[in-house]
Amino acid sequence: GDGNVLHIGGIFPIAGEGGWQGGQACMPAANLALEDVNARKDLLPGYVLKLHSNDSECEPGLGASVMYNLLYNQPQKLMLLAGCSTVCTTVAEAAKMWNLVVLCYGASSPALSDRNRFPTLFRTHPSATVHNPTRIKLMKKFGWSRVAILQQAEEVFISTVEDLEARCTEAGIEIVTRQSFLSDPTDAVRNLRRQDARVIVGLFYVVAARRVLCELHKQNLYGKSYTWFFIGWYEDNWFEQNLEKEGIECTREEMRRAAEGHLTTEALMWNQNLNERTISGMTSEDFRLRLNNVLRREGYDIDNQRYPEGYQEAPLAYDAVWSVALAFNKTMDRLHKYGKSLKEFNYNNKEIADDIYSAINSTQFLGISGFVAFSSQGDRIALTQIEQVINNTYVVLGYYDTQADNLTWFDREVWSGGKVPQDRTIIRRVL
Ligand SMILES: CC1(C)CO[C@@H](CC(=O)O)CN1
């Protein structure tokens, strides 16, 4: 019977075009985690965790209707997993009415770090603001106290820049100009030159990034006198791809020259210590091999690097299911002391909902994506990685642990001018 099954809802972005179809790899990863937690005798003994999944296509409207279907159809769900910032925003804003915790494995929007709007939201995917302390750390390391910002006019980048500006002010770093563009960066780049911007933080999606790079070539705003920070989660050879398809007027060679030397920051989503056993008993390499086998069986040509979308974020979905299992296990232990069980949870039972909330809130473990822990806003606490394009290839320069303010640096950086670029034009007064 249904007596020993704990049901959770899963909303995955699979089909569709707009946004991030990361459910393609994240749903298989979540199912692997279900297999693993249900196989553990020491987790939820006597119970089975069951995931009821649906496709949101990364569309908030469809995500909302999928959520209603999950909630208005039996069996009763204990919490929801969701991906895509737009869907998580809609689902998490509504879920509080059903006293449901929402765990987002694929949502980077800074707007989600808001306990007033999203009192029951947790994310194993770090907010896009996780890059900002790393950017500040590097500016201090290289003595840059005068920077500029170039951003695409998208919600996620607007709120990320607001956080970056606040941190720059706090660090005594002057922002000489903040330029934004919708899709054509020509004027914005020209204004950077007018303001003599030398260290620029660029925040845009990858298609816009290619347009920016070609514009930098045209306006010669790159090379030994400039430092560019780009986002690190684009494909490795993003600056050579789709040039014809997207009408980029620069050649591959021109794009490579403009890209040479730029820095990137990104959140770590795969535990870097490849031999370290995680709570599941697997290393992140073991997980990669298992996931690759599952994806091959689903028809993805993994051996020719044909990965589904969301491959990079798959550990976040795997660890999200573990977070739920560990939190339910903790809640079950606690409820048993009062002769209660999670089976008594219903959408109006605030008491058990609060138990689940506080259990997730204090859940910490070593997952495939690294150490999993949540801030008071439900945000994922994550390490970041810094890379630089050296001879057309991304090289890892170091890692930054914001919580510990600890920068691990490998001294691999290369400056084409033979020294660290300056953040302004130095006028030498000849006396
Ligand atoms: C790193 C990225 C690509 C950022 O967007 C996330 C999707 C979203 O925030 O909607 C998925 N992971």
Side-chain angles (χ1 to χ4, degrees):
D2 191 32
N4 68 345
V5 183
L6 302 175
H7 301 276
I8 58 176
I11 306 175
F12 295 91
I14 310 233
E17 284 300 310
W20 177 71
Q21 271 58 40
Q24 293 169 9
C26 287
M27 190 160 89
N31 288 326
L32 278 179
L34 269 176
E35 234 177 84
D36 294 351
V37 298
N38 282 328
R40 288 284 286 259
K41 298 283 167 279
D42 56 336
L43 267 183
L44 298 167
Y47 286 92
V48 173
L49 202 53
K50 190 170 185 330
L51 176 66
H52 301 261
S53 300
N54 287 275
D55 182 357
S56 69
E57 301 187 13
C58 195
E59 284 294 331
L62 182 55
S65 73
V66 158
M67 179 186 73
Y68 292 130
N69 287 335
L70 285 165
L71 300 185
Y72 284 116
N73 289 312
Q74 290 303 324
Q76 160 115 26
K77 295 0 174 251
L78 282 167
M79 59 84 65
L80 298 173
L81 291 177
C84 273
S85 286
T86 50
V87 173
C88 282
T89 303
T90 304
V91 168
E93 189 127 41
K96 64 194 173 206
M97 308 313 288
W98 283 265
N99 289 310
L100 283 172
V101 159
V102 177
L103 228 178
C104 289
Y105 53 84
S108 62
S109 167
L112 289 163
S113 311
D114 179 346
R115 273 278 172 256
N116 297 319
R117 276 185 73 190
F118 312 107
T120 63
L121 172 70
F122 291 87
R123 327 188 226 184
T124 50
H125 190 301
S127 163
T129 55
V130 79
H131 299 243
N132 288 337
T134 312
R135 291 165 177 146
I136 300 284
K137 189 69 179 179
L138 293 179
M139 291 168 191
K140 287 180 176 172
K141 174 181 173 63
F142 292 113
W144 299 321
S145 58
R146 182 180 177 277
V147 302
I149 293 168
L150 174 65
Q151 67 169 113
Q152 191 174 6
E154 291 277 346
E155 182 272 325
V156 62
F157 303 128
I158 293 166
S159 32
T160 300
V161 166
E162 277 157 16
D163 176 82
L164 179 60
E165 284 182 329
R167 289 173 187 273
C168 282
T169 306
E170 205 178 302
I173 293 170
E174 179 200 2
I175 295 181
V176 288
T177 183
R178 172 180 168 182
Q179 294 295 320
S180 71
F181 63 95
L182 265 171
S183 58
D184 178 356
T186 309
D187 294 342
V189 171
R190 188 173 302 123
N191 291 337
L192 288 174
R193 163 173 293 289
R194 279 207 193 101
Q195 304 278 341
D196 186 33
R198 298 298 191 87
V199 178
I200 309 112
V201 178
L203 297 171
F204 17 75
Y205 286 119
V206 71
V207 171
R210 284 190 272 268
R211 290 202 188 118
V212 166
L213 207 53
C214 187
E215 199 53 41
L216 299 186
H217 164 73
K218 288 176 185 170
Q219 301 194 31
N220 199 19
L221 207 73
Y222 70 95
K224 66 180 174 40
S225 305
Y226 297 93
T227 303
W228 280 91
F229 284 85
F230 284 174
I231 291 175
W233 44 254
Y234 305 153
E235 302 247 328
D236 273 352
N237 57 347
W238 64 271
F239 43 86
E240 301 173 333
Q241 290 171 334
N242 299 351
L243 301 185
E244 298 74 25
K245 182 179 153 195
E246 293 168 10
I248 301 291
E249 293 159 358
C250 295
T251 65
R252 283 160 67 96
E253 188 41 45
E254 289 164 344
M255 295 291 275
R256 281 185 190 153
R257 266 209 308 277
E260 186 63 23
H262 77 255
L263 303 174
T264 63
T265 54
E266 65 189 289
L268 277 183
M269 299 180 180
W270 291 73
N271 188 25
Q272 291 302 299
N273 183 337
L274 304 188
N275 307 314
E276 193 172 33
R277 295 217 166 282
T278 63
I279 192 168
S280 66
M282 286 189 291
T283 65
S284 53
E285 266 317 289
D286 296 333
F287 170 76
R288 187 187 296 279
L289 296 177
R290 262 180 86 196
L291 180 65
N292 287 352
N293 286 336
V294 168
L295 296 176
R296 270 191 209 93
R297 281 201 297 275
E298 288 192 7
Y300 291 100
D301 184 7
I302 300 296
D303 302 313
N304 286 317
Q305 325 294 322
R306 295 273 182 281
Y307 293 101
E309 198 158 355
Y311 186 85
Q312 180 63 9
E313 293 85 352
L316 306 178
Y318 182 86
D319 289 345
V321 171
W322 269 89
S323 303
V324 170
L326 291 166
F328 282 0
N329 201 50
K330 213 184 285 184
T331 312
M332 197 65 95
D333 286 350
R334 193 179 134 81
L335 289 173
H336 277 166
K337 289 197 183 80
Y338 309 103
K340 292 179 185 279
S341 146
L342 270 176
K343 295 301 286 179
E344 293 164 54
F345 174 74
N346 60 54
Y347 300 137
N348 306 307
N349 186 325
K350 187 88 174 63
E351 188 197 343
I352 294 187
D354 288 348
D355 284 346
I356 294 172
Y357 175 92
S358 57
I360 288 245
N361 194 37
S362 59
T363 293
Q364 307 196 343
F365 63 97
L366 180 63
I368 298 295
S369 65
F371 188 68
V372 178
F374 304 105
S375 76
S376 56
Q377 316 246 47
D379 277 342
R380 171 67 186 273
I381 294 165
L383 296 178
T384 53
Q385 174 175 279
I386 301 111
E387 292 184 324
Q388 182 181 32
V389 172
I390 301 173
N391 296 328
N392 211 39
T393 312
Y394 278 110
V395 172
V396 176
L397 297 188
Y399 300 103
Y400 185 49
D401 176 344
T402 308
Q403 305 299 318
D405 185 17
N406 177 24
L407 179 67
T408 304
W409 200 252
F410 304 125
D411 293 323
R412 293 173 185 156
E413 67 271 23
V414 169
W415 305 113
S416 56
K419 61 183 179 57
V420 176
Q422 287 157 332
D423 59 6
R424 68 200 75 200
T425 305
I426 304 291
I427 315 284
R428 296 200 187 296
R429 302 207 183 294
V430 182
L431 298 176

